[in-house]
Amino acid sequence: MISSTDARYLVLESRQKKTLLQALYNISDNPRWVYLFADSEWQTYLDESPVLLETAQNSEEYRWALMGLEEERLSGLFLESTQGLDAVASWLRARLTVCFDGNRKGLLRLYDPKIWHRLAVKSKPKANIIERALYWHGKPGQQRWVIDENPEPIAMSPMPTLNEQQWLALNDASA
């Protein structure tokens, strides 16, 4: 078991034909992970779901993911939390479906660094679940790690909603 102070959570998608889970099990005998879309209204798309992985910062899985993100074989976010895998999964799942443009709803791929960046994530004074989000971002040759402290990517009340600036920024994205 990973101590809560050492745990890191990675939301990952593969950009290659080899599946993410095949690659993960090639480097780890017993990775601790869940499908992000499991137990959500996106459950029917489980085959296309990103993976939420719990790992330690000094682990093989962490180094593998770090290299995969920098080499752009993987896409995703690093999340830091002391709350545990279930709490992190719930936090992410609560933000997957958003309202926009009145009554329309859709899947928000907030785990994609291009989308996360365009959301212009706000920092809250105190973290409820996620204390820090890190992602690899930038134009080719100019990428760097970006850190958001106590992030809140979208308005959550009364239900997850994109504001007009976020909606326009996402529409302008070529992700």
Side-chain angles (χ1 to χ4, degrees), residues 97-107 159-162 167 171:
T97 303
V98 295
C99 289
F100 57 92
D101 214 21
N103 293 330
R104 294 175 36 199
K105 289 184 182 180
L107 171 66
M159 62 186 310
T161 307
L162 296 176
W167 174 242
N171 280 324

Side-chain angles (χ1 to χ4, degrees), residues 94-155:
R95 289 154 179 80
L96 284 176
T97 303
V98 295
C99 289
F100 57 92
D101 214 21
N103 293 330
R104 294 175 36 199
K105 289 184 182 180
L107 171 66
L108 179 63
R109 297 181 67 245
L110 75 157
Y111 46 84
D112 182 315
K114 291 177 185 174
I115 302 298
W116 182 270
H117 190 76
R118 290 212 175 247
L119 290 172
V121 173
K122 304 285 186 235
S123 180
K124 297 182 304 185
K126 186 173 188 272
N128 290 333
I129 303 293
I130 306 300
E131 296 154 7
R132 193 170 295 113
L134 297 89
Y135 60 101
W136 186 248
H137 181 74
K139 294 178 182 177
Q142 299 175 352
Q143 295 104 322
R144 63 181 176 85
W145 287 101
V146 180
I147 300 172
D148 290 325
E149 301 284 340
N150 303 326
E152 183 51 70
I154 57 176

